[in-house]
Every structure is written in C-alpha cells, then in structure tokens.
Amino acid sequence: MASTSSASSSGRARYLIVTDTLAREIGAGRYPTGTLLPREAELIERFQVSRTTIREALKRLATMGLVATLHGVGTRVQAREVRTSYLAAMRSLDDVLQYEGEKTRFLIEHRSELIAGENDRSLLKCAPGQKWKVIKGYNQSSTGPYMAFADATIHIRAPYDDILTRKSRYDTPFYSLICEQHSLQIVRIEQELEAIALDEQQAHVLEAEVGSPGLRIVRRYYCEENEPFEVTVNVHPAKRFTYKMSLDRKAH
C-alpha cells in the first residue's frame, strides 16, 4: 500500500512541503524518468491538501525541470536532478523583501571587520571611518535543491551588527533581524546590476566554470538615515538565476 502523509502547517506553505517531498522522491527514483506522477486526486488524498495546493506544487516542479504536465495524459517525470534556475520577479520594494525572505538561506564562511576608507565609498556610500562587519558566505534555496545559487558578501554597519551571533546559518535575512531589533523600517533599496565573468573563487562556490557569465547584484538598504545600514553583494551564475522586472504606469 502506498504511504500517506499530511502536509503540516508548521510555518512553511503547504505547497512547498508537497514540492519538496515529491522532488526528493523523484531524485530517489521512486518515480523514474518517463513515468507519470500519481493523479491529482491521489496526491490530494495523500497530502490532505487542496487541489490548488497540488497544482501549485506541480507548477514548481515543472519550473525546476523535474516534470512536465501533458494535457490529457498527466504529469510526466522529465529528470531526476533539478535544473536549478531561480527567477526573481520584482515590481516593488516589497517584492524584493518577500523574494529574499522566502526563497533563501545564508551560510557564513568568513567574518571580518572593516573601517571604511575612501576606496569603500563607492560601494558602501558612507563617510570614511564608519565601522562595518563583513560576512562572506553563500545563499541556498530554502526549499531545495540545497545548492549555492549566489556567492554573497554582506556588509552591516555598526551599531546594527549587534544582531550577529555565532550561528553559521541564517534562515532570516539580516535586514529583517536589524529592523526587528532596532525598530527600523526600510524606506529605500538601491540596486545595481552588472554582468561579470566568474573568478576562480566564485566559480568554486557556485560549481560553475571559471570565466563563465555571472550577474553581480549590489543592494543597499536604507531606513531614515542617509547612509545604508546594510549592503549586500550577490554574484549569481548565469544559468541558475533570472532577473525579471515589471514596471507599471501609475494610475492618475
């Protein structure tokens, strides 16, 4: 008899639990390439969720390149390994915050301190002498596959660096921790995008070829002050990240 399980509401969206479970089972060979996944009705019964939840999970599996939905046939397994591609669709400040908060987790590899000099002004947009904590690490998907999709350097200006602990993994973005602890509200995010060629260190972290295309994104987070309290530099491999922006004309 097939095992049954229930997608619990333990803080994660139910469709994410279903997606993660099915992705792992496909990877383990429970559903071989070329075969069909169980019908929607069977998945609804197994996970005890709605049809909408199942369809959203199947949609995410298709985006990951694991399955394809064939009209009148069903959902066919296309691959055991994920085609790791992350889409960031941005229309507003809230979209940036929601994307970073829900999609990623950050693993720390190195910490250091920096007193900003003239050479740091263009990146940090601060006066010389400001103290910063510099955190090096990488971002992973919070829903799997647990593969680095961004080589990251995060700068946190004193006194906001008091949110840092000895933890090596953070599931909540630093700016969220800062805003909560210091009762701040983000009022502006500056963003710069640049096409680059991955250097040896970046290629190693991202499991990509040295010299292959990458996308460098700098984000500066501001509250009411004129200097950012956090500056992040993320480098993404071209084949694993897509950036999409939609601009709407404001109604008069």
Side-chain angles (χ1 to χ4, degrees):
M1 180 188 302
S3 62
T4 60
S5 61
S6 174
S8 67
S9 55
S10 58
R12 291 186 66 196
R14 293 186 172 214
Y15 72 87
L16 293 179
I17 296 173
V18 176
T19 302
D20 197 36
T21 300
L22 292 176
R24 290 179 186 278
E25 291 176 348
I26 290 171
R30 178 173 178 176
Y31 305 112
T33 302
T35 64
L36 298 177
L37 289 182
R39 294 175 300 171
E40 283 187 2
E42 296 176 67
L43 294 173
I44 290 169
E45 177 65 24
R46 175 187 172 187
F47 290 101
Q48 296 295 294
V49 295
S50 67
R51 185 177 301 275
T52 300
T53 296
I54 294 298
R55 289 183 174 176
E56 181 62 29
L58 295 177
K59 180 180 177 181
R60 286 178 65 88
L61 290 173
T63 300
M64 294 160 70
L66 292 177
V67 303
T69 300
L70 307 175
H71 182 68
V73 177
T75 303
R76 177 172 293 161
V77 177
Q78 298 284 89
R80 288 183 60 178
E81 295 183 357
V82 174
R83 183 189 69 224
T84 317
S85 177
Y86 296 87
L87 171 66
M90 308 299 180
R91 299 178 61 167
S92 68
L93 186 149
D94 287 340
D95 285 342
V96 175
L97 300 183
Q98 181 178 14
Y99 168 76
E100 291 189 339
E102 292 189 358
K103 300 279 186 176
T104 68
R105 62 186 185 185
F106 182 68
L107 284 80
I108 295 177
E109 292 190 316
H110 179 70
R111 305 167 188 244
S112 61
E113 296 184 354
L114 171 70
I115 297 179
E118 286 294 337
N119 293 338
D120 303 303
R121 186 188 293 271
S122 61
L123 173 64
L124 301 179
K125 304 297 184 184
C126 72
Q130 286 278 9
K131 294 182 179 180
W132 296 76
K133 287 284 176 61
V134 183
I135 318 298
K136 282 283 297 178
Y138 56 93
N139 287 315
Q140 291 181 330
S141 166
S142 61
T143 59
Y146 303 118
M147 190 176 185
F149 72 92
D151 177 57
T153 303
I154 299 177
H155 303 75
I156 302 177
R157 180 164 60 87
Y160 305 112
D161 56 350
D162 61 357
I163 55 96
L164 294 171
T165 66
R166 294 187 178 184
K167 293 197 309 183
S168 61
R169 167 182 155 183
Y170 286 81
D171 295 312
T172 302
F174 290 126
Y175 62 76
S176 294
L177 298 175
I178 292 170
C179 289
E180 181 178 358
Q181 183 156 318
H182 290 269
S183 300
L184 300 180
Q185 181 176 6
I186 295 174
V187 298
R188 186 169 88 257
I189 297 176
E190 290 180 350
Q191 185 163 259
E192 299 172 3
L193 285 76
E194 178 186 7
I196 64 169
L198 299 181
D199 62 27
E200 186 174 353
Q201 184 271 332
Q202 293 163 345
H204 174 72
V205 170
L206 299 171
E207 301 181 43
E209 294 292 328
V210 176
S212 61
L215 179 65
R216 181 178 184 263
I217 302 178
V218 177
R219 290 195 182 105
R220 302 181 185 91
Y221 299 84
Y222 293 82
C223 51
E224 295 296 339
E225 300 173 337
N226 291 325
E227 296 178 343
F229 63 84
E230 179 178 326
V231 179
T232 67
V233 181
N234 289 329
V235 175
H236 303 273
K239 293 183 179 180
R240 216 175 299 153
F241 188 87
T242 301
Y243 187 92
K244 177 181 178 181
M245 177 179 288
S246 298
L247 300 176
D248 295 332
R249 185 181 297 278
K250 189 174 182 180
H252 294 287

